[in-house]
Amino acid sequence: MIGRALLALSALALLAFLVAPGPFAPLFQPFTRNNAPAIYTQTSLLSLTLSHLAIVAVAVAASTIVGLVLAVLVTRKAGREFLPLARTVTAVGQTFPPVAVLALSVPVMGFGTGPTLVALFLYGLLPVFENALAGLTGQPPQVAEAARGMGLTPRQRLWQIDLPLALPLLLAGMRLTAVISLGTATIGSTVAARTLGEVIIAGLLSSNTAFVLQGGLVVGILAVLIHHGFGALERRAGRRMGLA
């Protein structure tokens, strides 16, 4: 109960700050120098946050779709031989730093949101793929026997048994991807994407620690809220499947 109350208070405080940051200026004033502004006002913090979340949501959705499709393909009889290749492909995003992906994407896609989406998509593939793979391959042997006994076709088993049972682990992979992408998306501002990294970069360029704190705190609180939100979905899915 205490944890939920703290989460609720954090969410309300974050919302109040994003909607009307002015009253919070005294909290950040000690972190400024030479009478610099305590609150970032060049762009609306609320609009930057919404843009940041939208970029992360699109990237996580794309990583989830591709990662899940690959996991399903390599766990079917016809695609098992492609498992090493699928693991190599999904690991590419983890071997290339997001900054390098941005540098390679900008000459092709130009500045803006596109390169950031590519970097987040590649970086988020591996957690979703590996968790989906674990969920699809880690089911008890009795499940397969029961499915055969019921006369289910492979497609029916996939939709009615395999995917529902794998859902908690899939959600865990999405949780990891979402939290990682939320923090990584801040570097998108270096290539003109509208993210909360704009506030952090402005603070670094002007030596205004207050701006850096604002960007970092908003991203940090959002990460905690998203982490716990996905955790609640995992537990709910587990209970529905009788796994928890």
Side-chain angles (χ1 to χ4, degrees), residues 6 39 52 72 104 107 114-115 118 120 129 135 138 155 160 165 183 193 211:
L6 289 175
I39 299 295
H52 190 109
V72 170
L104 294 173
V118 171
L120 296 182
F129 172 75
R155 179 174 296 183
Q160 298 178 25
L165 287 175
F211 290 175

Side-chain angles (χ1 to χ4, degrees), residues 51-72:
S51 176
H52 190 109
L53 289 174
I55 292 172
V56 170
V58 171
V60 171
S63 297
T64 300
I65 292 171
V66 174
L68 180 58
V69 169
L70 285 175
V72 170

Side-chain angles (χ1 to χ4, degrees), residues 136-158:
L136 291 170
T137 59
Q139 297 170 9
Q142 300 92 314
V143 172
E145 295 175 6
R148 284 193 296 267
M150 295 169 62
L152 297 180
T153 65
R155 179 174 296 183
Q156 289 173 328
R157 177 186 166 184
L158 173 65

Side-chain angles (χ1 to χ4, degrees), residues 4-14:
R4 292 182 180 178
L6 289 175
L7 284 175
L9 287 175
S10 298
L12 290 174
L14 177 62

Side-chain angles (χ1 to χ4, degrees), residues 86-120:
R87 278 207 160 113
T88 301
V89 170
T90 56
V92 167
Q94 297 287 334
T95 56
F96 279 93
V99 174
V101 177
L102 289 177
L104 294 173
S105 300
V106 167
V108 178
M109 306 180 69
F111 288 90
T113 303
T116 305
L117 285 174
V118 171
L120 296 182

Side-chain angles (χ1 to χ4, degrees), residues 37-218:
I39 299 295
Y40 185 78
T41 57
Q42 294 181 15
T43 309
S44 166
L45 288 172
L46 180 59
S47 67
L48 282 178
T49 302
L50 293 176
S51 176
H52 190 109
L53 289 174
I55 292 172
V56 170
V58 171
V60 171
S63 297
T64 300
I65 292 171
V66 174
L68 180 58
V69 169
L70 285 175
V72 170
L73 290 176
V74 298
T75 53
R76 303 306 98 179
K77 187 175 181 179
R80 287 173 186 165
E81 61 184 278
F82 297 103
L83 177 57
L85 176 61
R87 278 207 160 113
T88 301
V89 170
T90 56
V92 167
Q94 297 287 334
T95 56
F96 279 93
V99 174
V101 177
L102 289 177
L104 294 173
S105 300
V106 167
V108 178
M109 306 180 69
F111 288 90
T113 303
T116 305
L117 285 174
V118 171
L120 296 182
F121 164 73
L122 292 175
Y123 209 56
L125 266 180
L126 187 62
V128 174
F129 172 75
E130 289 294 345
N131 277 52
L133 187 64
L136 291 170
T137 59
Q139 297 170 9
Q142 300 92 314
V143 172
E145 295 175 6
R148 284 193 296 267
M150 295 169 62
L152 297 180
T153 65
R155 179 174 296 183
Q156 289 173 328
R157 177 186 166 184
L158 173 65
W159 288 102
Q160 298 178 25
I161 297 178
D162 292 347
L163 288 178
L165 287 175
L167 182 58
L169 277 176
L170 175 62
L171 288 170
M174 292 176 65
R175 170 169 52 84
L176 291 173
T177 293
V179 172
I180 292 172
S181 297
L182 194 71
T184 307
T186 55
I187 65 172
S189 291
T190 60
V191 293
R194 294 189 74 250
T195 73
L196 289 163
E198 177 180 323
V199 185
I200 297 173
I201 292 173
L204 293 174
L205 292 177
S206 61
S207 299
N208 191 338
T209 307
F211 290 175
V212 178
L213 282 175
Q214 286 163 44
L217 284 173
V218 172

